Amino acid sequence: MSLRQSEVIAPCPSDPASQRAVAAARRVVETLVRHTFSSGSELASAAATLEQLADRLELSSPTAQAVVDGLERRERYSRHDPVSGAHNPFAPPVEVVGRSDGSVAGSVRFGLPHQGPPGLVHGGVLAMVLDHVLALANSWAGTIGMTGGLELRYLRPTPLFADLQVTARQERLEGRKILTSGEITLDGEPCVTASGLFVAFPAPTPAPTGR
Amino acid sequence: MSLRQSEVIAPCPSDPASQRAVAAARRVVETLVRHTFSSGSELASAAATLEQLADRLELSSPTAQAVVDGLERRERYSRHDPVSGAHNPFAPPVEVVGRSDGSVAGSVRFGLPHQGPPGLVHGGVLAMVLDHVLALANSWAGTIGMTGGLELRYLRPTPLFADLQVTARQERLEGRKILTSGEITLDGEPCVTASGLFVAFPAPTPAPTGR
C-alpha cells in the first residue's frame, strides 16, 4: 500500500447545480420530518410541489435499470452511494478522507431523519455508516471486496446534532479474506465499534476507487 | 407474550397530506439520483424549487431540538424512524407486521438511492434494516432495549428492485439481555442473517409500541 497525503475519497459534486439540488433535497427531507411531527399545515402544498418536481425529473431521467446497466463500465464505489455519496440525497453524507497512515477518517452530524430513541442516532444508521467506511478503508488500502460479515458493538448512546468522527483501517489480508475495523467516536470516546470480514473480488484492484 | 392476529407495527400515516408529501419526497430523492448519474439539465431548476420549499417548511416547522424535546412524552418507536417510518422520507420504508407466532415480518424493495455495488443493495443499508426489524421484534414480544451488539452474515448478493422479505423473532431473555435474530430473504433463500444482543430498558414495557 502506498502512503499518500490525506485525500478526499468521497468528494463534493463538481457540478454546482447537482450540489445545490442534492443539498436542498436533504433539507426538504429534514424539514418534512419536523413538519409531520407537528401535523404541519404546509403538507398538502408541499406534496403538490414535490409531485410536480418528481414528474418533471422522471420525464428527463434515465430509468433506474438503465443507470444500473451503465454502471458496469464505471467505478464500483461511485459518488452516489447511500453513505458518503455527494450526489445522493439519501446519504447523510459522511465525508471521508484517506490518511497517509493507511486509515480513513470522516465526520458526520446526524439529524432528525436518522433518529432512533429520542435524541439519539438510530443504531441501524450507525451500522450502515460503519459498513461503508470499512469498505472505504479497503478501497484506500487497495483491496476491496463484498461484505461477508460485520460485528458491531454499541458502547454508549450516540447523540443527534453532534460532530461525530468515523475512522477505519484495513487490518490484514488472509487469502481472499479482508479484515477491517473501525469506530464512531464523540470527543475521542468510542460510541460504536465495528469489525468486518470482506471477501476480495477475484480480480486485483488497481487503485483506490470512489474518486 | 400474548398471541395476537397479524397487526401492522409501522402503519401508513393516517394523514393523507403527510402520506402524499412523504411519498413524493421519496420519488424526488430517487429521481434526483437517476438525474445526477446523467448530469441532467433539470438540476438547477430542481435546486431552486427544493430550496424554496425547504425555506417555506422551515418557517412553519418546529426546530429539530424542539421535536426531540417533545418526544420524551411520546412512544419510543415512532412513525418517524429511519427504516419503517411512514412519516420519514429517509425510510425506504420497510412495512412490518407482528404475527401471531410472536415473530414479525416485513417486505421491502430497494432502489437506486440504496445501491452499493452495481445493481445490488448496499450492505450497510441491509444492516440498518435488520437492526430495526430486530428491535420491532422485541417491541412485538413486549420487551424492548438498546442495541448492545449486532452480528451480520452476508450469504449472497441482494439485488435492487426485488421484493425482499424481512423476518425477525425475539429468541430469549437472560436477565436484562435480549437475544433476537432475523434475516432478509429473496424467494425464501436467505441473503443476510442477523443476531442481536439488546439491553432492556430498566422499566418494564407495558405494550408493543410504534403504533
Side-chain angles (χ1 to χ4, degrees), chain B residues 24-114:
Chain B
R26 288 194 187 111
R27 280 182 64 211
V28 166
V29 168
E30 204 270 342
T31 50
L32 267 185
V33 174
R34 283 156 52 188
H35 218 71
T36 58
F37 264 108
S38 62
S39 303
S41 56
E42 297 272 359
L43 288 170
S45 155
T49 300
L50 291 167
E51 284 166 356
Q52 284 165 21
L53 177 58
D55 289 345
R56 210 166 76 219
L57 288 171
E58 273 175 9
L59 280 178
S60 57
S61 300
T63 66
Q65 189 61 56
V67 169
V68 170
D69 292 344
L71 284 174
E72 300 302 330
R73 295 182 300 279
R74 295 167 65 115
E75 70 270 30
R76 281 207 169 83
Y77 288 89
S78 75
R79 295 176 188 176
H80 299 82
D81 74 71
V83 175
S84 58
H87 285 273
N88 186 347
F90 180 88
V94 185
E95 294 175 6
V96 179
V97 298
R99 296 192 292 197
S100 57
D101 68 357
S103 67
V104 300
S107 60
V108 63
R109 197 177 165 92
F110 293 104
L112 217 48
H114 313 113

Side-chain angles (χ1 to χ4, degrees), chain A residues 27 35 45 55-56 61 148, chain B residues 27 35 45 55-56 61 148 154:
Chain A
R27 280 181 63 211
H35 218 71
S45 155
D55 289 345
R56 211 166 74 217
S61 299
Chain B
R27 280 182 64 211
H35 218 71
S45 155
D55 289 345
R56 210 166 76 219
S61 300
Y154 295 81

Side-chain angles (χ1 to χ4, degrees), chain A residues 15 17-18 20-22 24-25 27-65 67-68 71-72 74-78 80-83 87-92 112-120 122-125 127-129 131-132 146-158 160-161 201, chain B residues 15 17-18 20-22 24-25 27-65 67-68 71-72 74-78 80-83 87-92 112-120 122-125 127-129 131-132 146-158 160-161 201:
Chain A
D15 171 6
S18 169
R20 270 184 61 205
V22 170
R27 280 181 63 211
V28 166
V29 168
E30 203 271 341
T31 49
L32 266 185
V33 174
R34 283 156 52 188
H35 218 71
T36 58
F37 265 109
S38 62
S39 304
S41 57
E42 298 273 358
L43 288 170
S45 155
T49 301
L50 290 167
E51 284 166 358
Q52 284 166 20
L53 177 58
D55 289 345
R56 211 166 74 217
L57 288 171
E58 272 175 11
L59 280 179
S60 57
S61 299
T63 66
Q65 189 61 57
V67 168
V68 170
L71 284 174
E72 301 301 330
R74 295 167 65 113
E75 70 270 30
R76 281 206 170 85
Y77 287 90
S78 75
H80 300 81
D81 75 70
V83 176
H87 286 273
N88 185 348
F90 179 88
L112 216 48
H114 313 113
Q115 181 175 248
L120 302 177
H122 191 284
V125 172
M128 175 180 79
V129 164
D131 173 69
H132 186 74
M146 295 279 287
T147 314
L150 187 66
E151 291 192 16
L152 300 140
R153 294 286 170 267
Y154 295 81
L155 306 178
R156 59 178 182 139
T158 308
L160 296 178
F161 319 129
F201 292 113
Chain B
D15 171 7
S18 169
R20 271 184 62 204
V22 169
R27 280 182 64 211
V28 166
V29 168
E30 204 270 342
T31 50
L32 267 185
V33 174
R34 283 156 52 188
H35 218 71
T36 58
F37 264 108
S38 62
S39 303
S41 56
E42 297 272 359
L43 288 170
S45 155
T49 300
L50 291 167
E51 284 166 356
Q52 284 165 21
L53 177 58
D55 289 345
R56 210 166 76 219
L57 288 171
E58 273 175 9
L59 280 178
S60 57
S61 300
T63 66
Q65 189 61 56
V67 169
V68 170
L71 284 174
E72 300 302 330
R74 295 167 65 115
E75 70 270 30
R76 281 207 169 83
Y77 288 89
S78 75
H80 299 82
D81 74 71
V83 175
H87 285 273
N88 186 347
F90 180 88
L112 217 48
H114 313 113
Q115 182 175 247
L120 303 177
H122 191 285
V125 172
M128 175 180 78
V129 165
D131 172 70
H132 186 75
M146 295 279 286
T147 314
L150 186 66
E151 291 193 17
L152 300 139
R153 293 287 170 265
Y154 295 81
L155 305 179
R156 58 178 184 140
T158 308
L160 296 179
F161 318 130
F201 292 114

Side-chain angles (χ1 to χ4, degrees), chain B residues 162-181:
Chain B
D163 292 317
L164 304 170
Q165 306 300 312
V166 196
T167 55
R169 164 189 300 279
Q170 192 175 89
E171 301 287 352
R172 62 185 190 279
L173 303 177
E174 294 177 0
R176 279 185 61 199
K177 288 185 187 172
I178 306 168
L179 296 149
T180 312
S181 68

Side-chain angles (χ1 to χ4, degrees), chain A residues 76-199:
Chain A
R76 281 206 170 85
Y77 287 90
S78 75
R79 294 178 189 176
H80 300 81
D81 75 70
V83 176
S84 58
H87 286 273
N88 185 348
F90 179 88
V94 186
E95 294 175 6
V96 179
V97 297
R99 295 191 293 198
S100 57
D101 68 357
S103 67
V104 300
S107 59
V108 63
R109 197 179 165 90
F110 293 104
L112 216 48
H114 313 113
Q115 181 175 248
L120 302 177
V121 186
H122 191 284
V125 172
L126 297 166
M128 175 180 79
V129 164
L130 278 164
D131 173 69
H132 186 74
V133 178
L134 264 56
L136 288 179
N138 291 336
S139 173
W140 184 242
T143 308
I144 63 173
M146 295 279 287
T147 314
L150 187 66
E151 291 192 16
L152 300 140
R153 294 286 170 267
Y154 295 81
L155 306 178
R156 59 178 182 139
T158 308
L160 296 178
F161 319 129
D163 291 318
L164 304 171
Q165 306 301 311
V166 196
T167 55
R169 163 188 302 276
Q170 191 175 87
E171 300 287 352
R172 62 186 190 279
L173 303 177
E174 293 178 2
R176 280 184 61 199
K177 287 185 187 171
I178 307 168
L179 297 149
T180 312
S181 68
E183 61 182 11
I184 293 175
T185 61
L186 174 63
D187 299 332
E189 293 294 316
C191 299
V192 191
T193 64
S195 300
L197 166 66
F198 297 80
V199 181

